Amino acid sequence: MWCTPEVILGVTTLSDEQALLPHIINQARQSGAKIILAHAQSLQGRQNCRQPPLSRPTLGTRETREALDRLARQLRWLGFTCEPILLSGPPELEIPYLVRSCGVDRVLIGFEEDPDPTTRKTSLLPEQLLRGVDVPVCVIGRNAVHANRVAIRNITLAVSAESSCEVPLSFACRLAQEHRAALNVLHVFDPESDGDRVSTPQEVVARLPFSTWREAELFCPSQVAVREGRPADEILSYCRSTQQDLLILCSPGNTLSEKAWRDGVSYRTIAGAPCPVFIADRHSEVAVALNIPGGPDAQKIPPRAEQTCEVRRKEAMNYQRPK
């Protein structure tokens, strides 16, 4: 279940080296995975919440390739197999196709958003990406600590009464076993909005997939915690107070529109989390449209779009690297 990845895809903006690369290194080192370092040129014009737009000028194609190669050389120097790929088309289309065609097991991407959704006015790639791939996506928020040789000792899976958690729980369980970490299942109920109230650890356990939870109990330290309040606030408070190293969400939330996603729990959690956040959702909207295993009604993308994406990918992979 993707827990020992063979191929990791890191999506970089070329200005997130200090925030993103340590986490890529930390996760690839555990399994010796191959790293694909991808950059979409359309990401360069996006604003950074930490810096004013003028401090981040748009690079030309040659400069972009040189910067991407420089990051790849750093990873090779550390002993990793790394392949840089420059994407020229829409990232919300080309990144999911790259995941499928290269057999990617895990995607890592930085996220510079502020937890306050009113501070952002441009389109968000993570929101588009989370609904477009069918492998776990690890989002590195602006508040996530650097991962320089940080051992993963505590993993939290946040579950709700509505979401299906069988796949995320299995992923979290295997991930905890691999890292010899403790697995914490956290449920937050909001008395004002939860009609089907689950307020005790015993009630949460009763709703978990029995065999998967039994495996977690047998092979890794595990516990269930229940908190009352607003879900995003309580999840962030729990992660900070208990020093969690990884957080796993069962669903990216409502990604059908940017506004709905930014007003939801997932956005606020990812933006404010003090650790990397995994989204392990197997039933995404675009995954079905792209014929990624995720539903019986999957349909292929139009042949012309598939051909265009393949041509762009070959061009990106065969570009002439500067000597």
Side-chain angles (χ1 to χ4, degrees), residues 124-238:
L124 306 173
L125 177 62
E127 168 249 334
Q128 300 165 343
L129 182 60
L130 288 173
R131 67 170 181 253
V133 300
D134 197 43
V135 298
V137 178
C138 182
V139 186
I140 314 298
R142 59 186 289 162
N143 296 319
V145 297
H146 286 194
N148 292 322
R149 297 188 177 276
V150 174
I152 296 174
R153 292 290 177 260
N154 292 289
I155 298 174
T156 290
L157 171 66
V159 299
S160 66
E162 296 82 12
S163 60
S164 173
C165 67
E166 183 171 1
V167 171
L169 178 59
S170 178
F171 173 68
C173 177
R174 303 295 172 83
L175 200 62
Q177 293 179 50
E178 180 178 331
H179 290 277
R180 299 182 180 179
L183 174 60
N184 308 288
V185 175
L186 173 65
H187 172 69
V188 180
F189 70 92
D190 187 351
E192 298 181 359
S193 60
D194 284 354
D196 188 8
R197 179 166 172 167
V198 180
S199 57
T200 66
Q202 292 74 20
E203 292 176 339
V204 175
V205 170
R207 298 192 176 211
L208 297 177
F210 175 78
S211 59
T212 307
W213 177 244
R214 182 60 176 163
E215 179 184 354
E217 290 183 312
L218 290 174
F219 295 107
C220 61
S222 55
Q223 65 175 356
V224 176
V226 177
R227 288 199 171 193
E228 178 180 353
R230 300 181 62 182
D233 296 339
E234 292 300 323
I235 291 173
L236 295 177
S237 174
Y238 179 83

Side-chain angles (χ1 to χ4, degrees), residues 220-288:
C220 61
S222 55
Q223 65 175 356
V224 176
V226 177
R227 288 199 171 193
E228 178 180 353
R230 300 181 62 182
D233 296 339
E234 292 300 323
I235 291 173
L236 295 177
S237 174
Y238 179 83
C239 288
R240 294 191 186 99
S241 61
T242 58
Q243 297 182 343
Q244 297 299 307
D245 302 306
L246 286 177
L247 174 62
I248 302 172
L249 300 181
C250 294
S251 169
N254 185 357
T255 59
L256 296 180
S257 70
E258 180 179 319
K259 183 180 184 304
W261 186 66
R262 288 177 53 178
D263 290 340
V265 174
S266 298
Y267 173 92
R268 293 180 178 274
T269 302
I270 293 171
C275 60
V277 179
F278 272 101
I279 307 293
D281 176 39
R282 198 172 174 83
H283 304 285
S284 59
E285 297 294 331
V286 178
V288 174

Side-chain angles (χ1 to χ4, degrees), residues 15-227:
S15 64
D16 54 5
E17 175 182 349
Q18 295 183 352
L20 184 62
L21 256 61
H23 291 279
I24 294 177
I25 292 169
N26 196 38
Q27 296 190 29
R29 181 185 289 116
Q30 185 72 21
S31 61
K34 172 185 175 181
I35 300 172
I36 297 177
L37 197 61
H39 171 70
Q41 287 183 295
S42 58
L43 289 177
Q44 294 176 186
R46 296 175 185 266
Q47 295 183 0
N48 190 315
C49 293
R50 290 179 180 173
Q51 301 174 353
L54 294 178
S55 65
R56 190 176 171 185
T58 301
L59 300 176
T61 301
R62 181 175 179 178
E63 292 81 1
T64 300
R65 290 172 176 171
E66 291 176 350
L68 189 60
D69 271 328
R70 178 181 58 81
L71 296 181
R73 284 196 301 270
Q74 292 183 30
L75 294 171
R76 294 193 195 104
W77 184 81
L78 294 172
F80 297 100
T81 301
C82 181
E83 178 183 6
I85 296 181
L86 181 62
L87 304 174
S88 58
E92 61 273 15
L93 172 64
E94 296 207 10
I95 291 175
Y97 186 77
L98 188 63
V99 169
R100 288 191 302 154
S101 60
C102 295
V104 171
D105 303 299
R106 186 177 301 178
V107 179
L108 277 79
I109 185 170
F111 189 59
E112 290 286 340
E113 282 296 287
D114 191 283
D116 182 2
T118 63
T119 61
R120 187 72 176 194
K121 297 181 180 180
T122 59
S123 179
L124 306 173
L125 177 62
E127 168 249 334
Q128 300 165 343
L129 182 60
L130 288 173
R131 67 170 181 253
V133 300
D134 197 43
V135 298
V137 178
C138 182
V139 186
I140 314 298
R142 59 186 289 162
N143 296 319
V145 297
H146 286 194
N148 292 322
R149 297 188 177 276
V150 174
I152 296 174
R153 292 290 177 260
N154 292 289
I155 298 174
T156 290
L157 171 66
V159 299
S160 66
E162 296 82 12
S163 60
S164 173
C165 67
E166 183 171 1
V167 171
L169 178 59
S170 178
F171 173 68
C173 177
R174 303 295 172 83
L175 200 62
Q177 293 179 50
E178 180 178 331
H179 290 277
R180 299 182 180 179
L183 174 60
N184 308 288
V185 175
L186 173 65
H187 172 69
V188 180
F189 70 92
D190 187 351
E192 298 181 359
S193 60
D194 284 354
D196 188 8
R197 179 166 172 167
V198 180
S199 57
T200 66
Q202 292 74 20
E203 292 176 339
V204 175
V205 170
R207 298 192 176 211
L208 297 177
F210 175 78
S211 59
T212 307
W213 177 244
R214 182 60 176 163
E215 179 184 354
E217 290 183 312
L218 290 174
F219 295 107
C220 61
S222 55
Q223 65 175 356
V224 176
V226 177
R227 288 199 171 193

Side-chain angles (χ1 to χ4, degrees), residues 97 305-317:
Y97 186 77
E306 178 109 20
Q307 182 179 9
T308 302
C309 196
E310 175 67 16
V311 170
R312 286 172 176 167
R313 177 177 173 273
K314 288 182 178 179
E315 290 177 350
M317 295 182 66

